[in-house]
RNA sequence: GCCCAGGUGGCGGAAUUGGUAGACGCGAUAGACUCAAAAUCUAUUGUUGGCAACAACAUGAGAGUUCGAUUCUCUCCCUGGGCACCA
């Protein structure tokens, strides 16, 4: 074999694999299925930087290993191609976003293929393909049919720069997630999806899936389930409902607070003697945007409603009523009973406005000042007190309904028609997809209407119901729509009769392992779980959860630890790395550089390490290949005196250990330590290795460096791909019969070591230990208090 | 403010039922090869003192439990990320 030349090897095998379709997953197989998934990329004009492929490589290692372990592995790829950057780029360069998308996809495809990722390219999908978004629209119509899609005039988050409505999830600290400009509130008719109807199940079913704990936690916090009670308080002739999670503290409720937007205020207007002041406060609160509210640092403000009082239903005492914006109109009932003794915010407010504070719970959780409930444990009395005051136990969530419409061009058209007589009419299924018309100008309008609104030819249609004059909906869907169900389409990407065939869904779903970014935990991951549950309720998918297991990866940062971005000019292009070092080296380095789930800075210097390792493996392969046949087949290990058949290769203990280590490390995504143990093995075995041992070693390396291992594998005379070779098995019962090191400590400090067989007698070992000169020196003339022996590990002599 | 993750050599990082801290890799130093350089190979490489044997110190800081703590407990500091008046 010649010197290791990645340029010759890598392209050759990529073509060969593609030709033989070895990564294409058949829909029928005697093998058990395994569905591994990565978040499909958004094909931007900038192409890949070295950070993008990290998750693809990680899941590729897992997918390759699973294939070798005998699974029918589905590892698909596609494009989440609708979205603002492409649209903005199209506007700027006056091109059709379709053309831009095709160009970008082509570039991404070339880049990803150059890395030797074992994707099944025959199942490639694209969310902007009308054949795909036909089904996105179809699913939307099912939501509409079930009353889960509705139109509502709401105050939406409006980005004045991008000219687009944003979901709550897309507003970061009062600013647009994309462009960073402050978000305004605008009243607008918007399509909404009733995700809140699924809040409880989205929360509860987290217990049934294998997601990393921090992912579950983030989802739980976002859904924000809290159990409490709604209790009526009398204000004059009117009643006001408050929501509380601590009904047990009601005896300490010394005042009541309404949100500035609370509807009761206008009803009791005439009874309030300082109405002018209250009205001023309402107006001031309305003028505040998200950013102001955040900036104000929680400095409490409020106005007392003079002339009215509320009645505490537990004590029967009158309490003052206040209006304050620390109470939110859109959570709970927009009104609270304030218990300053046991709530920080209420206490802050009470202090500022000199309101009474009554303690009702002792530090050890016992009720006081609570009438007939005195002496009971507070938390256990919630239900009793709720019943006593005629309240009702309820569960509330922070999760809001999902704002589903965008006033943009480059998205799926929402498939409904507005008719003056019939109202909102869904586009009949036979007319799907509602295709995006070609337009001259993609620019959004100042008044916030979609560019589609200007195309009268497309907008004006006949009503499907009454055939009268009607207009199309011109809003499009957010880019989260297409990604909410794409993993289902992979199971049957070309189906024109359904989003996927039932049998194929039954076979492939759920996804066995889904790896993705943490930034999608409360967005994409939650949305797709919601869509999946909805489809499950319609009996269209076989499981209630889409993903069995979810893990996440850390980002790759620029050399200086900053985020990699075009604007900072610190982007490292994988094309350069592949050209200089090869795809295998790049793959190895990305897996070796640090823990997979942690962010890490790219290093231009350190990448040479994995390359050197691969070169050593290559040289070793050449040596094995050139060794005489007899030596290649020699059997190196067997019990003493035992006759070992030539073909029965007994795996030596060190290799057995390596198999175990690499197997377990890949399963738990500890790729860095898997590679390090491969390096250790090759360092130890650089002088002498049998062909059998070397081939096992190659197989362990194959998921990381598929091209090079394939080349050597064939050079060694193997005819089929190493990709399909069986994964090496380890014997958990093999124990090394080599001598092991026992460390000798005196008072916890290492003073020497003894080589001994694992089953050596304890007493003999202790005697030997004390006799060691270095040990004897430290225990001389001192009383030995005790000796601790940890089997096979150490002896500690305490003096 | 609350929640989550983390803090170990010059650098990335290893080390879990508590048992040799610094594996593996990068970098650095010296040597071999070479006319020379690169590449490669060999050796050394936590800090301090010492020619050395060796000794002391060392996992963000401080305490505690233990024969023994990077690992467990408590208090605090710092970094990154998330949430942000959710009653």
């Amino acid at each position: 074999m010649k010197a290791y030349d990645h340029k010759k090897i890598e392209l050759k095998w990529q073509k060969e694999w593609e030709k033989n379709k070895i990564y294409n997953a058949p829909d029928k197989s005697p093998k058990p299925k395994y569905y591994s998934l990565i978040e499909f990329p958004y094909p931007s004009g900038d192409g890949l930087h070295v950070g993008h492929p990290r998750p693809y490589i990680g899941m590729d290692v897992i997918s390759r290993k699973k294939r070798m372990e005998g699974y029918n592995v589905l590892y698909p790829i596609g494009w989440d191609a609708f979205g603002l950057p492409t649209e903005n780029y199209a506007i700027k360069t006056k091109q059709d976003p379709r053309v831009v998308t095709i160009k970008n996809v082509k570039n991404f495809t070339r880049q990803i293929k150059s890395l030797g990722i074992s994707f099944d390219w025959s199942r490639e999908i694209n969310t902007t393909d009308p054949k795909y978004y036909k089904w996105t629209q179809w699913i939307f119509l099912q939501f509409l049919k079930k009353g889960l899609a509705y139109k509502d005039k709401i105050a939406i988050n409006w980005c004045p720069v991008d000219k687009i409505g944003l979901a709550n999830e897309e507003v970061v600290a009062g600013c647009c997630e994309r462009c960073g400009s402050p978000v305004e509130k605008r009243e607008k008719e918007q399509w909404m999806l009733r995700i809140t109807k699924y809040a409880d199940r989205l929360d509860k079913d987290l217990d049934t899936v294998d997601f990393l704990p921090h992912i579950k936690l983030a989802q739980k916090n976002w859904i924000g389930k809290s159990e409490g009670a709604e209790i009526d308080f009398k204000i004059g002739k009117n009643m006001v409902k408050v929501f509380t999670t601590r009904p047990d503290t009601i005896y300490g409720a010394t005042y009541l607070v309404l949100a500035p937007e609370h509807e009761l205020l206008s009803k009791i207007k005439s009874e309030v003697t300082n109405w002018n002041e209250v009205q001023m406060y309402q107006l001031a609160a309305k003028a505040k945007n998200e950013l102001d509210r955040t900036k104000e640092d929680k400095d409490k403000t409020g106005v007392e409603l003079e002339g009215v009082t509320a009645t505490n239903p537990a004590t029967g005492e009158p309490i003052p009523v206040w209006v304050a914006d620390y109470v939110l109109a859109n959570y709970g009932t927009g009104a609270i009973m304030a218990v300053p003794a046991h709530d920080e915010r209420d206490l802050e407010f009470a202090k500022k406005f000199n309101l009474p504070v009554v303690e009702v719970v002792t530090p050890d959780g016992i009720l006081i000042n609570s009438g007939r409930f005195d002496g009971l444990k507070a938390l256990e009395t919630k239900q009793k007190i709720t019943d006593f005051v005629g309240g009702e136990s309820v569960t509330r969530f922070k999760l809001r309904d999902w704002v589903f419409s965008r006033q943009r061009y480059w998205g799926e058209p929402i498939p409904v028609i507005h008719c003056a007589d019939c109202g909102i009419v869904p586009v009949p299924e036979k007319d799907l997809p509602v295709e995006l018309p070609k337009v001259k100008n993609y620019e959004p309008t100042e008044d916030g209407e979609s560019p589609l609104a200007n195309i009268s030819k497309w907008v004006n249609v006949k009503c499907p119901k009454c055939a009268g004059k009607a207009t199309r909906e011109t809003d499009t869907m957010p880019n989260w729509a297409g990604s909410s169900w794409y993993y289902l389409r992979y199971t049957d990407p070309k189906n024109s009769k359904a989003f996927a065939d039932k049998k194929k869904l039954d076979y492939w779903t759920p996804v066995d392992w889904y790896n993705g970014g943490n930034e999608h935990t409360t967005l994409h991951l939650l949305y797709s779980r919601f869509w999946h549950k909805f489809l499950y309720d319609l009996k269209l998918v076989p499981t209630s959860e889409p993903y069995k297991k979810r893990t996440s990866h850390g980002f790759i940062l620029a050399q200086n630890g900053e985020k990699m971005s075009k604007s900072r000019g610190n982007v490292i292009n994988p094309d350069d790395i592949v050209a200089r070092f090869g795809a295998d080296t790049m793959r190895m380095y990305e897996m070796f550089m640090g823990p997979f789930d942690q962010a890490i800075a790219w290093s231009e210097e350190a990448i040479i390490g994995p390359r050197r390792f691969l070169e050593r493996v290559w040289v070793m392969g050449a040596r094995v290949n050139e060794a005489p046949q007899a030596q290649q087949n020699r059997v190196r290990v067997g019990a003493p005196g035992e006759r070992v058949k030539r073909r029965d290769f007994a795996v030596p203990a060190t290799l057995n250990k390596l198999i175990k280590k690499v197997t377990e490390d890949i399963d738990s995504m500890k790729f860095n330590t898997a590679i390090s143990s491969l390096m250790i093995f090759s360092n130890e075995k650089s002088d002498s290795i049998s062909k059998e041992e070397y081939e096992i070693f190659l197989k362990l390396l194959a998921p990381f460096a598929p091209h090079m291992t394939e080349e050597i594998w064939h050079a060694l005379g193997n005819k089929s791909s190493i990709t399909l070779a069986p994964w090496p098995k380890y014997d958990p019962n093999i124990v090394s019969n080599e001598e092991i090191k026992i460390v000798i400590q005196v008072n916890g400090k290492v003073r020497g070591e003894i080589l001994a067989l694992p089953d050596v007698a304890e007493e003999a070992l202790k005697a030997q230990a004390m006799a060691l000169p270095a040990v004897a020196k430290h225990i001389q003339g001192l009383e030995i208090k005790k000796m601790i022996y940890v089997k096979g590990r150490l002896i500690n002599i305490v003096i």
Side-chain angles (χ1 to χ4, degrees):
Chain A
M1 286 200 298
K2 291 176 191 138
Y4 173 42
D5 179 357
H6 63 265
K7 285 191 178 160
K8 278 188 191 149
I9 294 171
E10 294 183 344
L11 204 63
K12 176 177 109 188
W13 287 111
Q14 283 163 15
K15 280 185 186 155
E16 187 70 16
W17 293 332
E18 196 161 350
K19 199 179 91 193
N20 296 330
K21 302 184 164 72
I22 60 170
Y23 303 127
N24 290 12
D27 289 323
K28 274 186 193 139
S29 167
K31 297 175 183 176
K33 71 98 182 177
Y34 198 88
Y35 188 172
S36 40
L37 185 68
I38 46 117
E39 284 166 348
F40 62 161
Y42 175 74
S44 74
D46 301 337
L48 293 182
H49 68 238
V50 290
H52 290 110
R54 196 182 190 198
Y56 312 161
I57 298 168
M59 285 310 287
D60 191 45
V61 170
I62 284 160
S63 300
R64 286 176 179 277
K65 170 168 167 285
K66 285 281 173 196
R67 265 186 218 104
M68 292 171 80
E69 285 176 330
Y71 287 89
N72 180 26
V73 174
L74 173 57
Y75 187 34
I77 176 82
W79 314 103
D80 187 15
F82 275 129
L84 266 186
T86 301
E87 179 166 341
N88 288 339
Y89 182 79
I91 290 168
K92 216 166 81 186
T93 59
K94 298 198 187 326
Q95 292 184 72
D96 187 336
R98 289 171 191 78
V99 175
V100 176
T101 299
I102 288 167
K103 207 178 88 195
N104 291 350
V105 163
K106 209 175 149 195
N107 188 37
F108 266 63
T109 302
R110 177 189 62 75
Q111 289 190 298
I112 292 174
K113 282 191 174 175
S114 79
L115 296 171
I117 314 269
S118 64
F119 286 130
D120 177 351
W121 286 93
S122 74
R123 293 171 185 262
E124 179 180 349
I125 58 172
N126 186 325
T127 54
T128 65
D129 181 347
K131 289 186 197 120
Y132 179 92
Y133 69 68
K134 168 179 179 175
W135 298 105
T136 311
Q137 292 175 335
W138 184 85
I139 295 170
F140 176 85
L141 291 182
Q142 310 313 306
F143 277 115
L144 189 63
K145 226 186 254 176
K146 294 286 169 186
L148 295 180
Y150 63 98
K151 239 185 163 180
D152 197 11
K153 186 158 192 162
I154 53 153
I156 60 153
N157 306 298
W158 177 259
C159 173
V161 173
D162 287 337
K163 293 167 191 160
I164 192 169
L166 302 169
N168 289 325
E169 287 86 337
E170 294 168 306
V171 180
V172 177
C175 294
C176 172
E177 183 190 46
R178 261 175 227 289
C179 69
S181 46
V183 167
E184 297 169 2
K185 288 278 178 197
R186 266 204 193 185
E187 291 267 321
K188 219 168 161 38
E189 279 252 299
Q190 296 289 315
W191 282 98
M192 308 286 290
L193 285 192
R194 219 180 285 282
I195 190 172
T196 51
K197 203 185 162 195
Y198 282 76
D200 203 24
R201 282 165 65 192
L202 287 168
D203 178 87
K204 215 165 39 193
D205 288 355
L206 284 171
D207 296 339
T208 70
V209 290
D210 178 17
F211 291 3
L212 288 180
H214 77 267
I215 297 175
K216 282 192 189 185
L217 199 74
Q219 290 224 347
K220 273 198 183 285
N221 288 345
W222 190 265
I223 296 165
K225 180 175 181 171
S226 61
E227 302 193 37
E230 283 184 358
I231 298 168
D232 285 321
F233 278 64
K234 230 187 224 166
I235 299 183
K237 282 179 231 140
N238 295 288
M239 291 291 225
V240 63
K241 250 189 213 327
V242 306
F243 174 67
T244 176
T245 53
R246 295 296 305 273
D248 49 301
T249 62
I250 195 165
Y251 284 86
T254 52
Y255 63 101
L256 194 133
V257 188
L258 303 176
E261 299 89 348
H262 201 285
E263 55 178 17
L264 183 76
L265 286 170
S266 53
K267 276 196 205 161
I268 57 172
K269 192 168 154 178
S270 55
E271 298 162 48
V272 178
T273 56
N274 61 339
W275 180 249
N276 272 352
E277 203 186 336
V278 171
Q279 211 171 10
M280 293 284 281
Y281 186 77
Q282 281 183 303
L283 287 173
K286 203 176 175 185
K288 285 184 197 171
N289 62 26
E290 289 278 327
L291 199 58
D292 296 334
R293 277 199 148 182
T294 317
K295 268 188 188 162
E296 268 178 18
D297 238 7
K298 298 169 207 165
D299 196 19
K300 302 259 182 311
T301 58
V303 177
E304 185 174 1
L305 298 184
E306 284 164 22
V308 296
T309 56
T311 310
N312 182 325
T315 61
E317 300 285 325
I319 54 173
V321 182
W322 286 68
V323 181
D325 67 359
Y326 84 91
V327 173
L328 306 174
N330 52 8
Y331 184 77
T333 59
I336 62 155
M337 61 176 213
V339 185
H342 305 289
D343 183 286
E344 258 182 64
R345 295 152 304 178
D346 294 343
L347 181 64
E348 195 193 322
F349 192 81
K351 274 185 180 162
K352 184 165 174 185
F353 295 104
N354 281 321
L355 291 156
V357 178
V358 177
E359 246 178 274
V360 289
V361 184
T362 63
D364 45 351
I366 305 297
L367 287 173
I368 49 168
N369 297 326
S370 295
R372 50 192 275 207
F373 299 102
D374 279 355
L376 295 173
K377 282 190 182 159
L379 295 176
E380 291 167 15
T381 320
K382 284 184 178 184
Q383 189 62 51
K384 277 184 202 158
I385 294 191
T386 303
D387 293 343
F388 172 65
V389 296
E392 192 190 344
S393 291
V394 292
T395 304
R396 290 279 179 179
F397 299 90
K398 282 190 221 172
L399 189 70
R400 314 279 165 77
D401 275 344
W402 175 6
V403 181
F404 197 68
S405 35
R406 300 295 126 99
Q407 292 71 45
R408 277 286 177 165
Y409 175 78
W410 196 225
E412 302 89 345
I414 290 176
V416 301
I417 289 165
H418 299 276
C419 170
D421 296 330
C422 313
I424 288 170
V425 183
V427 171
E429 277 182 29
K430 66 174 173 53
D431 294 339
L432 293 181
V434 176
E435 280 200 48
L436 272 175
K438 298 207 172 171
V439 297
K440 283 211 183 79
N441 188 5
Y442 304 104
E443 205 126 6
T445 53
E446 257 331 300
D447 61 2
E449 287 305 316
S450 158
L452 292 173
N454 296 330
I455 313 167
S456 51
K457 240 171 120 183
W458 182 81
V459 170
N460 295 313
V461 287
K462 274 187 192 161
C463 171
K465 250 189 195 167
C466 69
K469 271 192 180 175
T471 56
R472 281 193 192 282
E473 171 64 58
T474 58
D475 281 0
T476 53
M477 302 185 197
N479 61 329
W480 306 109
S483 61
S484 289
W485 70 283
Y486 75 110
Y487 57 93
L488 297 171
R489 187 65 175 174
Y490 281 139
T491 66
D492 194 8
K494 295 182 177 72
N495 196 328
S496 59
K497 304 246 157 46
F499 67 84
D501 180 73
K502 188 79 197 333
K503 274 188 197 139
K504 290 180 182 175
L505 288 169
D506 283 345
Y507 178 63
W508 284 115
T509 66
V511 171
D512 292 282
W513 191 337
Y514 190 16
N515 185 80
N518 280 326
E519 75 278 21
H520 291 130
T521 303
T522 50
L523 301 159
H524 160 66
L525 197 62
L526 195 64
Y527 292 152
S528 60
R529 289 182 61 225
F530 161 49
W531 278 43
H532 194 91
K533 285 184 180 305
F534 172 68
L535 294 172
Y536 175 69
D537 289 349
L538 297 180
K539 299 193 167 50
L540 297 172
V541 294
T543 59
S544 66
E545 283 286 333
Y547 319 116
K548 251 194 204 167
K549 175 173 182 167
R550 167 82 182 193
T551 52
S552 58
H553 57 270
F555 288 114
I556 292 180
L557 307 167
Q559 297 240 43
N560 58 4
E562 282 183 347
K563 223 180 137 186
M564 227 180 249
S565 73
K566 205 183 169 189
S567 57
R568 290 175 210 257
N570 54 13
V571 169
I572 297 185
N573 189 328
D575 293 351
D576 300 337
I577 306 298
V578 170
R580 276 168 60 202
F581 299 96
D584 283 339
T585 300
M586 157 120 179
R587 294 167 59 103
M588 293 283 293
Y589 175 59
E590 293 215 351
M591 293 301 98
F592 180 65
M593 61 198 298
F596 186 70
D597 58 353
Q598 271 169 44
I600 192 160
W602 184 263
S603 165
E604 198 70 6
E605 290 98 53
I607 192 168
I608 193 69
R611 169 75 194 198
R612 285 179 187 148
F613 166 68
L614 290 181
E615 280 174 14
R616 284 197 297 271
V617 174
W618 178 270
V619 168
M620 207 191 287
R623 217 164 36 226
V624 167
N625 201 24
E626 284 151 19
Q629 196 66 27
Q631 208 184 324
Q632 279 188 17
N633 291 334
R634 76 188 189 276
V635 174
R636 309 180 74 238
V637 173
E642 185 194 343
R643 273 193 65 198
V644 184
K645 277 188 227 151
R646 265 171 60 94
R647 304 291 308 167
D648 291 348
F649 171 66
V651 176
T654 48
L655 187 55
N656 190 65
K657 219 170 89 188
L658 179 71
I659 298 170
K660 181 169 191 277
K661 174 81 177 152
V662 173
T663 304
E664 290 174 351
D665 277 1
I666 291 178
D667 288 342
S668 52
M669 292 191 138
K670 287 154 92 178
F671 305 118
N672 53 334
T673 50
I675 290 173
S676 118
S677 53
L678 288 166
M679 286 171 168
I680 293 168
F681 182 84
S682 85
N683 289 345
E684 284 169 357
K685 288 283 176 179
S686 59
D687 294 332
S688 147
I689 187 165
S690 72
K691 190 180 176 190
E692 286 90 344
E693 281 184 273
Y694 183 72
E695 287 195 341
I696 289 175
F697 175 76
L698 266 193
K699 288 199 233 175
L700 295 176
L701 179 60
F704 297 98
H707 309 88
M708 192 194 82
T709 49
E710 185 82 300
E711 177 73 17
I712 301 174
W713 183 250
H714 281 78
L716 291 175
N718 294 290
K719 295 286 175 254
S720 59
S721 171
I722 196 168
T723 301
L724 307 168
W727 186 254
K729 288 203 168 59
Y730 61 91
D731 180 352
N733 299 315
I734 287 190
V735 200
S736 170
N737 55 358
E738 288 166 33
E739 289 191 318
I740 48 169
K741 249 191 255 175
I742 310 272
V743 168
I744 315 302
Q745 296 181 334
V746 178
N747 275 358
K749 284 200 171 153
V750 181
R751 297 299 180 188
E753 55 189 45
I754 295 175
L755 283 176
L757 291 171
D759 55 352
V760 67
E762 188 177 334
E763 287 312 313
L765 202 61
K766 282 183 177 171
Q768 216 184 327
M770 284 191 286
L772 282 178
V775 175
K777 198 172 93 187
H778 285 94
I779 58 174
Q780 204 172 25
L782 295 161
E783 185 201 347
I784 293 171
K785 284 194 186 149
K786 61 176 157 177
M787 256 199 237
I788 288 139
Y789 175 57
V790 182
K791 199 172 180 311
R793 287 272 184 172
L794 61 71
I795 289 177
N796 190 10
I797 302 168
V798 186
I799 48 172

